[in-house]
Amino acid sequence: MKVEIINGPNLNLLGKRQPAIYGHETLADVEADCRRLAAELRLELRFHQSNREYEIIDWIHEARETAGALVINPGAFTHTSVAIRDALAVLEAPVIEVHLSNIHRREPFRHTSMLAGAVTGQILGLGPAGYLLALRALAQMVQPAVAVA
Ligand code: DQA
């Protein structure tokens, strides 16, 4: 099964960006961990990051044709983007929204996710482990025989 992992704005700065909130792992570290687990779960992974909303929307549109599942950390677009929500609403594949930080323990403007009503589930506040848990959950949903083995 093909899985897309999409990361939004400023996540390219992971490791350097507010480490007290987001930790010391870089996005390359997160990608390497995801690739290791994906190989174990026999998932074919595409891993993206963009600071541009339209590019994220284009990847979600492409996923309609190509992906069996999607993981998205939309960064600050979480709180603002009706357009990303609308793109996700068209997907039939399961989608997990991941946040490194617990957005509900932070500033009030982060408490609302525009995407929440258009995703299968959310994982918050567990740092980079959230991406790995999302992959395990999706593998379990979509190809349970492999995920359990
Ligand atoms: C984030 C939380 C967002 O509020 C923030 O704008 C981000 C990262 C997270 O992973 O915790 O860029 O999505």
Side-chain angles (χ1 to χ4, degrees):
M1 178 183 65
K2 292 187 181 160
V3 180
E4 305 273 339
I5 299 186
I6 299 177
N7 292 283
N10 302 308
L11 290 165
N12 53 312
L13 297 180
L14 268 192
K16 298 191 195 93
R17 174 191 182 200
Q18 296 179 284
I21 296 175
Y22 297 115
H24 292 279
E25 273 192 46
T26 65
L27 194 62
D29 296 332
V30 174
E31 178 175 359
D33 290 347
C34 288
R35 289 203 180 279
R36 251 189 306 276
L37 180 63
E40 210 180 285
L41 298 172
R42 292 186 228 160
L43 304 172
E44 193 182 312
L45 201 68
R46 284 180 57 189
F47 195 96
H48 312 272
Q49 188 278 329
S50 180
N51 296 323
R52 302 173 188 86
E53 191 173 14
Y54 77 86
E55 208 161 15
I56 292 170
I57 293 166
D58 285 348
W59 286 328
I60 297 170
H61 290 174
E62 279 169 36
R64 287 182 58 224
E65 309 294 327
T66 58
L70 198 138
V71 176
I72 184 162
N73 181 349
F77 290 146
T78 306
H79 317 297
T80 60
S81 182
V82 176
I84 292 178
R85 181 204 174 103
D86 286 350
L88 290 173
V90 185
L91 273 188
E92 279 172 23
V95 179
I96 300 188
E97 176 184 346
V98 169
H99 298 286
L100 295 154
S101 63
N102 178 351
I103 56 178
H104 301 294
R105 289 184 80 175
R106 300 185 61 196
E107 305 94 321
F109 67 84
R110 294 186 204 273
H111 295 180
T112 301
S113 166
M114 289 288 179
L115 278 55
V119 298
T120 310
Q122 295 174 309
I123 300 176
L124 315 173
L126 305 181
Y131 288 81
L132 303 178
L133 292 167
L135 287 178
R136 285 196 187 279
L138 290 168
Q140 185 72 47
M141 271 177 233
V142 180
Q143 50 181 34
V146 179
V148 166

